[in-house]
Amino acid sequence: MPESPAIGATAACPSTVRDVTIDLLRAAGMTTIFGNPGSTELPMFRDFPDDFRYILGLQESVAVAMADGFATATRKAALINLHSSAGVGHALGAVFTAFRNQTPLVITAGQQARSILPYEPFLFAERPSEFPRPFVKWAVEPARAQDVPAAIARAYAVAMEPPCGPTFVSVPVDDWDQPCAPLTLRPISATRHPDPAALAQCAQSLARARRPAIAVAAGVARDCAWDLVVALAERHGASVYVAPMASRAGFPEDHPLFAGFLAASREAIVASLAPHDVVLALGGPMNLYHVEGHGPHLPDGCEAWLIGDNHTHAAWAPQGRAIVASCDVAIAGLLAGPDPVARAWPAPRIVAPVAGDVMTDALVVSRLAALRAPGSILVEEAPSTRGPMHDHLPILRPDTFYTTASGGLGFALPAAVGIALARPGEKVIALLGDGSSMYAIQGLFSAAALGLPISFIIIRNGRYEALHSFGRHFGLQQPVGTELPVLDFCALAAGHGVPARRADDAATLEEALCWSLAADGPTLVEAVVA
């Protein structure tokens, strides 16, 4: 009878798979692990190092969204540990959002022991590397235990390569104690430089334009290009729009050149861009649609350019020329281009202030704008309030706005926890709808357990209001299954250890917002609106 395979380190190979992996994670800076542990993951955490920390999410999608926020705010890959198929299944909606957010994540998932996989054991993953596709950039279950560290090192490199995104490694439970030779994490440079000839043509188009425009998407924020966009817009007197459904802010929304937000509709985009003869989309798609449309994608005679690090966006842009490059590098090149023709700046955007004191979502966001510190961080998932937010809650500083790029709900509440972890000492405000909050309400537990300075502002309208608005597009006056009449968010917050106050009118709203924004720990304000 053959001997059983060796367990643990040996004299010839003193390190285990776990030892080598921990060293790799430390070298990569992934010492914060997010997860909801299951049985097949436990051996990974034997002798858990003192310089690592484990952030518990009470549901797997919450853990992924916390990691998404953390990685986005740090611009470094975050590590998530999930259970096999059941846990990965719970997390897939959040993985989809991370993929759309272009967030670098390394996801590990447990698997049953290799010796019993032929018998389809309880809680095993039948096709582990296929399950999370297509919303991971790379997925594998290593052929040998000794290949696990190299797989995680590759997953890290792929996650960090632009366009960034999640990767996935399935690890059998008995792999962690196997002997393994040391492995060094190799640095890999992934900067994308633009094609010089194409960039020169783009610079010439901007310089000779009669009335240029710029549409900024999330890639501007990812590439730290906020100040560069301001300089480019001011040099050319260009109107600056936010691209449809942009998940980050790339331009100060109180700047005189700020022109507003492009809707995710073909006809609406054409109408907004009608005055312009050259438009430059930076950091993401400008022609992102949410409803079916007809006719042209751009105004007649409008020349379009797209610059960003995602080759997929470049491939499916319906019109114009695309340059695959990092925004910061490309914009620096555009600033060195030819001098623009003389042109006057367009008239500034004017938004009427909120009148009266009726409890509406517009009143809530306008008072929040007045009371919050300009550098506080806003994490938003209130779809029906997005219009009033655009009008009355301007983003003024870089890296202070985050939302989901996928449209899937359940991101913002736990992402606020991850962002607060990544930005210690800074105030984070999670602006949420009541329906959105219920997708990831367990995130309140993590905020309370960690004592994070987050103000959860829940706009309670008692239903999925965005679906009522969208239903009218399809001729539905009363969508089914959209009423939420009995939720009590103050009680839900108390049950998770978060102090809460309810605001029913303008006076109690003012008092509750002041209380929440001044707090050092997590608080929740339930703002009841018409």
Side-chain angles (χ1 to χ4, degrees), residues 97-117:
T97 291
F99 183 79
R100 294 298 186 202
N101 287 350
Q102 292 187 206
T103 305
L105 299 178
V106 177
I107 303 169
T108 60
Q111 170 67 295
Q112 278 289 10
R114 292 178 186 271
S115 63
I116 58 173
L117 288 179

Side-chain angles (χ1 to χ4, degrees), residues 39-433:
S39 56
T40 55
E41 293 77 66
L42 292 178
M44 179 182 179
F45 304 116
R46 185 181 293 119
D47 302 322
F48 195 64
D50 292 338
D51 59 327
F52 280 60
R53 58 179 174 176
Y54 187 94
I55 307 300
L56 174 63
L58 295 187
Q59 207 262 7
E60 288 83 355
S61 65
V62 171
V64 173
M66 288 195 298
D68 190 340
F70 183 81
T72 300
T74 60
R75 294 184 171 87
K76 297 178 181 178
L79 183 72
I80 304 147
N81 183 247
L82 302 175
H83 199 30
S84 53
S85 289
V88 174
H90 289 160
L92 279 182
V95 174
F96 167 67
T97 291
F99 183 79
R100 294 298 186 202
N101 287 350
Q102 292 187 206
T103 305
L105 299 178
V106 177
I107 303 169
T108 60
Q111 170 67 295
Q112 278 289 10
R114 292 178 186 271
S115 63
I116 58 173
L117 288 179
Y119 312 113
E120 298 197 5
F122 187 64
L123 289 176
F124 92 116
E126 183 176 357
R127 298 180 181 179
S129 64
E130 297 177 34
F131 193 26
R133 295 181 189 271
F135 299 118
V136 293
K137 294 178 66 179
W138 182 70
V140 70
E141 183 173 277
R144 305 179 307 152
Q146 288 73 20
D147 298 329
V148 168
I152 291 175
R154 179 175 173 181
Y156 169 76
V158 173
M160 288 294 290
E161 178 189 14
C164 296
T167 55
F168 180 87
V169 182
S170 173
V171 185
V173 65
D174 53 338
D175 281 5
W176 295 107
D177 292 311
Q178 296 299 315
C180 185
L183 183 68
T184 301
L185 187 71
R186 296 179 295 110
I188 299 174
S189 177
T191 301
R192 290 184 183 267
H193 290 274
D195 173 64
L199 194 69
Q201 292 178 26
C202 181
Q204 290 169 3
S205 294
L206 284 173
R208 65 172 180 259
R210 173 182 51 82
R211 189 173 174 187
I214 298 171
V216 293
V220 169
R222 286 193 298 268
D223 293 338
C224 302
W226 174 289
D227 291 335
L228 289 166
V229 174
V230 172
L232 186 68
E234 291 179 348
R235 185 167 193 258
H236 291 279
S239 300
V240 180
Y241 299 87
V242 174
M245 303 294 185
S247 61
R248 304 281 299 279
F251 192 80
E253 294 169 12
D254 60 346
H255 193 284
L257 287 171
F258 181 65
F261 300 81
L262 295 178
S265 158
R266 184 185 302 197
E267 292 87 350
I269 289 171
V270 170
S272 294
L273 298 180
H276 305 287
D277 56 335
V278 174
V279 59
L280 171 62
L282 291 170
M286 180 181 65
N287 296 96
L288 182 66
Y289 305 135
H290 192 200
V291 293
E292 184 181 15
H294 303 281
H297 297 278
L298 290 172
D300 186 42
C302 183
E303 180 183 357
W305 290 83
L306 168 63
I307 297 176
D309 66 7
N310 193 323
H311 55 275
T312 301
H313 295 162
W316 62 248
Q319 284 184 236
R321 294 194 56 182
I323 300 173
V324 178
S326 298
C327 286
D328 53 341
V329 178
I331 298 172
L334 293 174
L335 286 168
D339 292 334
V341 299
R343 59 174 77 96
W345 281 21
R349 176 176 181 251
I350 298 175
V351 177
V354 177
D357 57 4
V358 177
M359 276 291 284
T360 62
D361 51 2
L363 177 68
V364 174
V365 296
S366 66
R367 295 314 302 150
L368 182 59
L371 295 170
R372 79 178 184 116
S376 56
I377 300 165
L378 183 67
V379 190
E380 178 267 333
E381 193 176 290
S384 62
T385 302
R386 196 157 292 164
M389 183 192 74
H390 287 166
D391 289 340
H392 305 295
L393 183 52
I395 306 304
L396 308 176
R397 297 184 183 176
D399 292 332
T400 59
F401 177 74
Y402 303 85
T403 190
T404 169
S406 72
L409 300 181
F411 166 78
L413 194 156
V417 175
I419 291 166
L421 280 170
R423 307 269 292 270
E426 299 185 58
K427 188 67 174 182
V428 175
I429 302 166
L431 181 65
L432 309 164

